[in-house]
Amino acid sequence: MAAHNTLLHLRTESGKPLEHRSAITPSTAKALIDDRYILEVEKSDTESSYHRIFADDEFEAVGAKLVPENSWPESNAIIIGLKELPEEEWPISHRMIHFAHCYKGQSGWEKVLSRFPRGGGTLYDLEFLQDETGRRVAAFGYHAGFAGAAVALKAWNWQLSHSADEPFPEIAQFTDGRGYYRNEDELVAQLRQDVLAGEKAAGRKPRAMIMGALGRCGRGACDLLLKAGLPSGNLIKWDLDETRDNPGPYQEIVDSDIFINAIYLTEKIPPFVDFPILDTPSRKLRVVCDVSCDPNSVNNPLPIYTDYTSFTRPTIPVKQKIEGPPLSVISIDHLPSLLPREASEAFSNALLPSLLQLKDIKTARVWSDAEKLFREKCGSLPNEDCTTRYNGTARLSELVLAQVLLPVKMFSHIKAHFLLALITLFNLSLSISPSLQQNQDTPLPVTQIFQFPHGGYVEGLAFRSNGKLLGTLLNPEASIYQFDTTAFSARKVTTIPYITGLYGITETTTDQFYVAGGNLSLTASTRDLGSFRIWHVNLTSFDHEGQVKVQETTRFANATPNGLWTLDAEKGVLLATDSTNGVVYRVDVATGENRITIDDPVLKPPANATTYPSPNGIAVRGGYLYFTNTGAGTFGRVAIDADGVQSGPGEVLAVLAGGNPGGDDWTFDAEGNVFVAGNPNNWLGLLRATRNETFSPIEIVAGGTNRTDLLGPNTARFGVTDEDVKRRSLYIGTSGGLPQYRSGNYTNGGGLYRVDTGVLGLS
């Protein structure tokens, strides 16, 4: 019961001037917090054109945590917003809830949607959250129709009292500079004056036709028109009965003063109006308000315009010259922001029952159906949009901006061209490795799964039970990333503060991981021995709630814990190599006790190779602890008992690099063969097991000393999916080449690569 505490993050609507609404209000925030949700709320922009209608202290008063504006890229929470994100291409790794406008064939839908599968994220589109009957659980439709009709009335009156070359002004002119109305009463009182003024100029009140009059949006439009003083006889209300057997175009629209399109359309139908029917001196129609607002959709039934409008430019003329009076189009995609407080409260209260199910986002029907729809829509993406593998500079830089640069101040009043310039400059600073090709010297090609920017150093790997792969970073920060090896994407899991890098990682029980790390300098080849520790990383709530719990397990006074191995998962016993002193520690994770239990000459660093870890990767098999000694360039073993205490002398089983330093982390295959990541050399090596528990000489099976397809391989783990097992896929974490860290002149980024070893026919 106490394990819930699902983390939610309410983002600001950056880049959307005059968008003051909020998907969560202080009242619904309180309901969520009372139900044991943790709610982060981004501080509202202080500029009047961008600020949220609800003050920050209203959220803080009900227990929400205020966080910096545009900080959502750094959060592991479920991200909640309203409007679509600014138009960019960097991949998204988060679970996002908002209106994305990319499911109905809108212009550029592929670019919007493809960001999610490329980053491993999921879109839960608010427009498509439905109850058991197929009805939307929450919508702004009523207030969209209400506000759209209001703007249409004002535009009609403006036309009658101003010349054709004097455009309808921004809404701020009617609202004391605010750009929105404080409440409905203020709006309606003003509109009654507009109707009276228009009636005086035209000699009559306007006739308004509402298409979709029986829906939420249509009802809102009708209610507004009646409240503004139009008699019910001046409202022409059409819905399915009037159009089912009566395809457009419709003369009834042309004969009205105002036409309001309030339908929800999912397929192409004949147009409601077209230019031939509008091109007549007898046309009465002056204002078209397209509340549905899909100007670039292939299904748009109003093919007389192709652009959105806004509260700063509420109307545009039709795109072709026609006979008759001026004809203006309103196509504002945030109409409810005309009454942001009332609209937000109505929407958020309707959404609240679904929000309260976010703790069960994978199983609650409304959310699982939304995810299923997202997967289906992704299936319609062109292959290059859906399965991008980050082989190019632009895609790599986009992800870096998403993870590093954007959280500082992502889009707040930064023009799109500025960010594009930033990306361009970042691209110029990257020097990506040449395209990966099949190794000409060996039978095994190398496939790039993901690449970090310069300085990204993947040190340790461990698979989760769900098939996702965790990787630790030794540089530039002490972070853990989760790789989706089928989607070719990466998502940051957590960063451990106050240290510079992480070494090994191991799992005890399901989603209970332990990582080693501390402060070190790869350039100076120094380590602050008193800073090294092992942390417990609890991922139980990561998938559903975005939460990661990190707790220190043990500290080392004079050691560099590097390779980790779970000796006894039930008892919580780990083994950890000390790569500085050439010993192995036994760690009790329950008590935090650590003590040296293995100390043998075969583990010691040679005098001429003290900058390389000795020992490094370890595994326990058949009463032996197997290890690599990177500094000595050897692979060996030491006999141990069940408690991890040395019980016999150590022995060297193979020389890995001709007497030179080499051989980092490694792994057994099912038959007992050993695959060694060759760092500081650029190869993957194979030690074939023989019948007498020895190994054949090392052979390079991928990469090579003078090759660039595996630069600085540090660690290797076999994949766990059915396809991985079939291919015998080995995943390799790299640094991008160790020499660049020694010089500080970074030229490549490390990453994750796959080598399929099944073709070797090992048995």
Side-chain angles (χ1 to χ4, degrees):
M1 189 70 179
H4 162 29
N5 292 332
T6 305
L7 181 63
L8 309 178
H9 184 109
L10 179 65
R11 64 176 174 85
T12 58
E13 302 299 320
S14 296
K16 287 287 182 181
L18 303 180
E19 178 55 89
H20 306 291
R21 292 174 295 166
S22 179
I24 297 176
T25 68
S27 61
T28 53
K30 183 179 186 303
L32 289 165
I33 293 168
D34 287 347
D35 197 45
R36 295 186 297 112
Y37 284 85
I38 298 172
L39 178 62
E40 300 173 343
V41 176
E42 290 186 5
K43 294 179 181 178
S44 179
D45 198 304
T46 56
E47 186 173 326
S48 60
S49 294
Y50 294 85
H51 74 75
R52 189 187 294 118
I53 189 64
F54 303 100
D56 291 345
D57 56 13
E58 292 183 71
F59 286 102
E60 198 168 31
V62 299
K65 177 185 177 182
L66 296 180
V67 296
E69 181 187 1
N70 294 318
S71 59
W72 67 263
E74 290 185 316
S75 177
N76 287 321
I78 299 170
I79 312 299
I80 302 172
L82 276 182
K83 302 304 294 182
E84 67 275 14
L85 297 170
E87 293 183 8
E88 287 300 331
E89 294 187 359
W90 50 271
I92 294 174
S93 62
H94 299 71
R95 292 169 292 174
M96 306 286 293
I97 301 171
H98 60 264
F99 291 99
H101 302 298
C102 63
Y103 281 5
K104 296 189 292 183
Q106 294 96 329
S107 177
W109 70 272
E110 304 100 323
K111 289 185 178 179
V112 175
L113 184 58
S114 67
R115 297 176 66 186
F116 292 90
R118 287 194 286 114
T122 304
L123 169 64
Y124 301 88
D125 198 308
L126 287 169
E127 185 176 353
F128 297 91
L129 297 184
Q130 298 179 341
D131 63 18
E132 295 83 353
T133 68
R135 183 175 174 81
R136 289 173 63 181
V137 300
F140 283 102
Y142 181 86
H143 281 92
F146 197 94
V151 178
L153 273 180
K154 295 189 74 65
W156 172 78
N157 177 50
W158 181 271
Q159 275 197 25
L160 295 175
S161 57
H162 295 80
S163 63
D165 59 356
E166 193 172 355
F168 183 62
E170 60 182 334
I171 297 300
Q173 182 168 320
F174 308 109
T175 57
D176 299 324
R178 293 187 307 274
Y180 63 90
Y181 290 87
R182 284 181 287 251
N183 52 58
E184 180 182 311
D185 291 342
E186 180 186 33
L187 171 63
V188 170
Q190 192 178 102
L191 288 172
R192 286 183 170 274
Q193 296 302 313
D194 289 325
V195 170
L196 291 175
E199 181 181 11
K200 184 176 181 180
R204 59 181 175 81
K205 291 181 179 179
R207 283 169 50 88
M209 182 172 178
I210 302 96
M211 188 70 77
L214 300 183
R216 287 186 181 119
C217 182
R219 285 188 285 106
C222 292
D223 286 353
L224 181 283
L225 294 169
L226 293 173
K227 289 182 177 184
L230 270 65
S232 59
N234 282 34
L235 274 58
I236 301 96
K237 302 177 183 179
W238 278 30
D239 212 281
L240 288 176
D241 287 346
E242 290 76 18
T243 59
R244 184 178 290 110
D245 300 318
N246 178 28
Y250 301 110
Q251 185 63 40
E252 290 84 351
I253 296 176
V254 180
D255 293 337
S256 302
D257 299 287
I258 297 169
F259 173 64
I260 299 171
N261 178 33
I263 70 165
Y264 179 77
L265 192 61
T266 59
E267 59 185 15
K268 193 170 183 62
I269 61 173
F272 294 156
V273 292
D274 56 18
F275 284 114
I277 200 172
L278 294 171
D279 191 14
T280 172
S282 62
R283 172 176 47 84
K284 293 184 175 65
L285 185 66
R286 287 177 174 269
V287 179
V288 171
C289 180
D290 188 5
V291 182
S292 297
C293 198
D294 279 327
N296 298 309
S297 172
V298 295
N299 299 326
N300 183 16
L302 295 170
I304 58 174
Y305 79 107
T306 57
D307 200 6
Y308 291 98
T309 64
S310 67
F311 287 151
T312 57
R313 188 189 60 156
T315 66
I316 54 173
V318 293
K319 62 182 182 180
Q320 183 173 313
K321 187 175 181 179
I322 53 176
E323 292 288 332
L327 179 56
S328 299
V329 178
I330 299 164
S331 180
I332 300 172
D333 67 354
H334 50 285
L335 278 167
S337 270
L338 198 69
L339 289 169
R341 185 171 285 270
E342 288 101 325
S344 297
E345 290 286 10
F347 178 85
S348 194
N349 282 323
L351 185 62
L352 180 59
S354 299
L355 293 176
L356 289 169
Q357 297 180 59
L358 282 173
K359 61 179 178 291
D360 302 311
I361 193 169
K362 284 292 185 182
T363 56
R365 187 204 52 76
V366 67
W367 298 111
S368 62
D369 283 359
E371 181 173 352
K372 180 180 178 182
L373 179 62
F374 163 72
R375 303 295 176 196
E376 291 174 358
K377 294 297 182 180
C378 287
S380 64
L381 284 167
N383 287 337
E384 61 269 22
D385 285 326
C386 190
T387 59
T388 300
R389 303 187 179 187
Y390 302 105
N391 288 329
T393 304
R395 295 295 162 87
L396 177 59
S397 62
E398 290 159 8
L399 185 66
V400 177
L401 285 168
Q403 298 287 351
V404 181
L405 299 178
L406 294 180
V408 178
K409 183 76 171 176
M410 188 176 64
F411 282 108
S412 193
H413 316 141
I414 299 178
K415 300 297 184 183
H417 62 264
F418 174 80
L419 187 58
L420 288 172
L422 187 61
I423 290 174
T424 301
L425 288 173
F426 193 80
N427 287 341
L428 292 175
S429 73
L430 294 174
S431 177
I432 306 303
S433 300
S435 299
L436 302 178
Q437 302 176 357
Q438 182 167 336
N439 195 316
Q440 300 301 312
D441 303 321
T442 72
L444 302 185
V446 178
T447 300
Q448 179 179 294
I449 302 298
F450 187 85
Q451 187 177 29
F452 286 99
H454 299 175
Y457 192 120
V458 181
E459 171 65 13
L461 294 175
F463 272 96
R464 298 179 63 196
S465 57
N466 64 4
K468 299 294 193 300
L469 179 58
L470 298 180
T472 60
L473 293 192
L474 192 61
N475 195 75
E477 60 184 11
S479 291
I480 301 172
Y481 275 77
Q482 177 172 276
F483 299 99
D484 187 326
T485 60
T486 60
F488 294 80
S489 63
R491 173 187 180 186
K492 184 186 287 189
V493 174
T494 191
T495 299
I496 297 179
Y498 314 121
I499 62 170
T500 61
L502 295 176
Y503 280 107
I505 179 170
T506 188
E507 184 181 33
T508 52
T509 56
T510 301
D511 276 342
Q512 307 303 309
F513 289 87
Y514 290 83
V515 295
N519 293 318
L520 68 152
S521 170
L522 292 169
T523 303
S525 298
T526 58
R527 309 177 187 102
D528 178 6
L529 297 185
S531 70
F532 282 85
R533 308 169 192 180
I534 291 176
W535 287 267
H536 175 207
V537 180
N538 183 345
L539 297 184
T540 302
S541 302
F542 178 65
D543 292 328
H544 300 302
E545 302 170 14
Q547 290 186 312
V548 180
K549 296 180 180 179
V550 179
Q551 185 175 6
E552 181 182 316
T553 298
T554 189
R555 298 188 180 195
F556 295 85
N558 184 37
T560 308
N562 186 337
L564 297 182
W565 182 263
T566 300
L567 182 66
D568 190 324
E570 185 177 343
K571 294 181 180 179
V573 177
L574 310 180
L575 296 179
T577 60
D578 175 3
S579 292
T580 296
N581 300 303
V583 295
V584 177
Y585 281 79
R586 180 188 185 277
V587 178
D588 186 324
V589 300
T591 65
E593 178 196 24
N594 65 70
R595 59 188 175 90
I596 297 172
T597 56
I598 305 173
D599 188 354
D600 192 276
V602 296
L603 299 172
K604 303 301 180 182
N608 62 346
T610 56
T611 61
Y612 293 102
S614 306
N616 204 317
I618 54 172
V620 174
R621 185 184 180 103
Y624 290 93
L625 177 132
Y626 290 82
F627 64 89
T628 48
N629 184 328
T630 305
T634 58
F635 176 76
R637 67 182 185 180
V638 177
I640 61 172
D641 63 19
D643 205 32
V645 178
Q646 184 172 351
S647 60
E651 58 182 320
V652 173
L653 300 175
V655 175
L656 302 177
N660 298 311
D664 202 311
D665 200 5
W666 57 279
T667 189
F668 282 114
D669 70 2
E671 288 74 32
N673 303 298
V674 173
F675 287 85
V676 182
N679 187 50
N681 307 292
N682 299 328
W683 45 254
L684 174 70
L686 168 64
L687 296 171
R688 297 177 186 262
T690 63
R691 293 183 179 179
N692 58 353
E693 294 188 346
T694 61
F695 294 89
S696 63
I698 187 98
E699 57 185 285
I700 296 174
V701 294
T705 303
N706 298 316
R707 297 185 61 84
T708 59
D709 44 2
L710 270 181
L711 289 172
N714 301 307
T715 181
R717 293 293 182 268
F718 278 99
V720 297
T721 68
D722 291 343
E723 192 65 24
D724 286 335
V725 173
K726 179 180 177 181
R727 296 182 305 229
R728 292 199 173 193
S729 297
L730 186 65
Y731 291 92
I732 302 161
T734 74
S735 66
L738 189 60
Q740 64 181 340
Y741 295 90
R742 299 287 191 244
S743 66
N745 181 26
Y746 299 128
T747 56
N748 294 288
L752 183 69
Y753 296 83
R754 191 188 80 217
V755 173
D756 297 332
T757 68
V759 296
L760 294 175
L762 298 173
S763 60

